[in-house]
Amino acid sequence: MNSAVNPSCLLYGPFDARFEDRPLPEINDPNDVIVKIAYTGVCGSDVHFWLHGGIRAFVSETHPLTMGHEASGVIHKVGSAVTSLAPGDKVAIEPGYPCRRCGPCKSGRYNLCPEMKFAAAPPKVHGTLTKYFLLPADFCYKIPDTLSLTEAVLIEPLAVAVHTVRLADIKPGHRVIVYGAGTVGLLCAAVAREFGASQVISVDILESKLSFARKFIGESIGRTAMPDRSLSAEDNANLLVQNLNLGEGANIAIDASGAEASMQAAIYVLRRGGTYVQAGMGKRKIEFPIAEMCEKEITAKGCFRYGPGDFDLAIHLATSKLRLSEFVTKIVPFEQAPEAWETTKRGEGIKTLIKGPE
């Protein structure tokens, strides 16, 4: 594809990725920009698409889709009304933009916009695994010189973690448990620390993830735990509370795994009046300990992507508090994108990136 104008990686179905040349995007709205993609990150939803062709909506032979939504790049071209960015600026990309007119948008919750155009969302919104990507200028965030383009890819999952922790309303002194030590879970733990949590416990079934958590969060505040899969969710929660001397339980529990057993344990591990936030996407129907939640009067919240101010705070944390470079464990060439999805499927490393087309 050396002579391609806009080389792109499209998914036609499970295990069916094809590299094609798509048209160059054109600026029709004066507030839009075109970004030359530098890197695209891989997350769990990408793996799900690779394995199943979608989540709620699916790609098909007649409606293939360019993959990718965690991305960084360099401004290639700007619309006539854009004054905040210029060609050559390095940016982190917020990969979804709303209608700006509906009730959720006007109330400040644009992440819930029913007309959201989110990268790599079937049936027709193409993603960032391409050379040139078009989006509104205000959904591009100029990054400082101290932040690399590889680190800037992590701003998107970091914004998810910021949104999660803000929903959890973490206060100084809170004890926080995060189920799942993948990228989002690790970042939730780190942001919880920055919000003043006195103890942050990462729970996962992979020792490699927990080892990274201990180094990244710091052993003065961070703790780790591995559940015993032969025990029930309730017994695992009780064991964790006992082993870590949590007394009546945690103040905050966050599930970033999407695993049914983790969601259940998260409710059991909370003290009375605690708060539970669901950040990970899993099966649509699960068994949930609703009686436990009622009896403890637990506040339960769903978390969906990110909202106003989350990307700005994420960039601040990335440039002043967090070492995002430690997350990047593998970078694959654009032409080997499926290998990046397979790497993540196998649970290898922390964050795998796909380099943009040359």
Side-chain angles (χ1 to χ4, degrees):
M1 297 190 68
N2 290 337
S3 60
V5 174
N6 192 27
S8 307
C9 179
L10 285 82
L11 192 69
Y12 278 75
F15 303 104
D16 186 2
R18 307 178 197 178
F19 296 90
E20 301 175 5
D21 190 12
R22 296 191 65 248
L24 273 174
E26 296 182 1
I27 294 180
N28 296 314
D29 187 317
N31 296 292
D32 285 350
V33 299
I34 296 174
V35 179
K36 185 176 185 292
I37 299 296
Y39 297 96
T40 291
V42 177
C43 80
S45 63
D46 297 315
V47 174
H48 202 90
F49 268 67
W50 173 237
L51 297 177
H52 306 288
I55 299 177
R56 295 191 71 176
F58 295 83
V59 300
S60 67
E61 186 73 27
T62 54
H63 290 94
L65 203 67
T66 307
M67 291 293 289
H69 64 275
E70 300 178 359
S72 67
V74 177
I75 297 296
H76 174 70
K77 189 176 181 180
V78 303
S80 59
V82 176
T83 58
S84 58
L85 295 167
D89 286 345
K90 297 190 303 178
V91 295
I93 292 172
E94 182 172 354
Y97 52 95
C99 74
R100 308 175 195 262
R101 300 181 300 274
C102 67
C105 283
K106 294 175 76 173
S107 68
R109 304 181 73 184
Y110 68 79
N111 57 317
L112 303 182
C113 173
E115 301 299 325
M116 175 72 74
K117 292 181 172 62
F118 196 84
K124 57 185 178 181
V125 183
H126 289 280
T128 61
L129 267 180
T130 186
K131 188 170 185 177
Y132 297 107
F133 186 72
L134 176 77
L135 76 164
D138 55 332
F139 285 81
C140 288
Y141 297 80
K142 187 175 178 179
I143 60 172
D145 292 335
T146 54
L147 203 65
S148 70
L149 285 167
T150 53
E151 292 171 302
V153 173
L154 275 296
I155 297 300
E156 195 269 354
L158 180 53
V160 174
V162 167
H163 192 63
T164 303
V165 170
R166 291 172 78 174
L167 283 171
D169 195 24
I170 291 173
K171 298 289 195 303
H174 275 173
R175 290 174 166 181
V176 180
I177 297 183
V178 181
Y179 284 86
T183 301
V184 170
L186 288 163
L187 291 171
C188 282
V191 176
R193 179 193 65 195
E194 297 305 321
F195 271 55
S198 62
Q199 192 173 18
V200 181
I201 301 153
S202 297
V203 181
D204 204 283
I205 59 173
L206 295 177
E207 173 55 35
S208 60
K209 305 287 188 184
L210 297 179
S211 177
F212 184 89
R214 285 191 287 271
K215 291 185 292 184
F216 189 73
I217 306 303
E219 295 189 0
S220 62
I221 292 177
R223 300 287 187 275
T224 60
M226 183 181 293
D228 183 340
R229 285 188 274 184
S230 69
L231 299 178
S232 68
E234 184 174 9
D235 287 343
N236 264 309
N238 292 336
L239 191 63
L240 191 153
V241 169
Q242 179 182 345
N243 289 344
L244 294 175
N245 298 314
L246 294 178
E248 296 178 3
N251 302 95
I252 309 289
I254 294 168
D255 178 69
S257 72
E260 183 173 358
S262 295
M263 299 178 204
Q264 294 166 345
I267 296 296
Y268 287 117
V269 84
L270 283 169
R271 64 179 56 198
R272 296 176 184 275
T275 296
Y276 168 73
V277 179
Q278 183 62 45
M281 299 287 279
K283 293 188 299 184
R284 304 201 75 82
K285 295 181 180 180
I286 66 165
E287 292 186 9
F288 194 76
I290 193 74
E292 184 81 4
M293 190 179 79
C294 292
E295 290 165 1
K296 290 182 177 179
E297 202 165 283
I298 287 167
T299 299
K301 297 181 179 181
C303 177
F304 190 56
R305 296 173 182 158
Y306 20 72
D310 293 332
F311 263 73
D312 292 318
L313 182 51
I315 290 173
H316 171 74
L317 291 172
T319 54
S320 62
K321 301 289 185 179
L322 306 181
R323 305 178 304 278
L324 295 185
S325 59
E326 297 181 15
F327 277 75
V328 181
T329 50
K330 186 174 183 179
I331 300 176
V332 305
F334 175 74
E335 296 78 11
Q336 296 176 22
E339 172 54 28
W341 302 327
E342 286 289 334
T343 297
T344 303
K345 183 189 78 172
R346 294 190 294 265
E348 296 174 3
I350 302 298
K351 176 59 68 172
T352 296
L353 307 186
I354 303 168
K355 199 173 187 304
E358 299 293 339

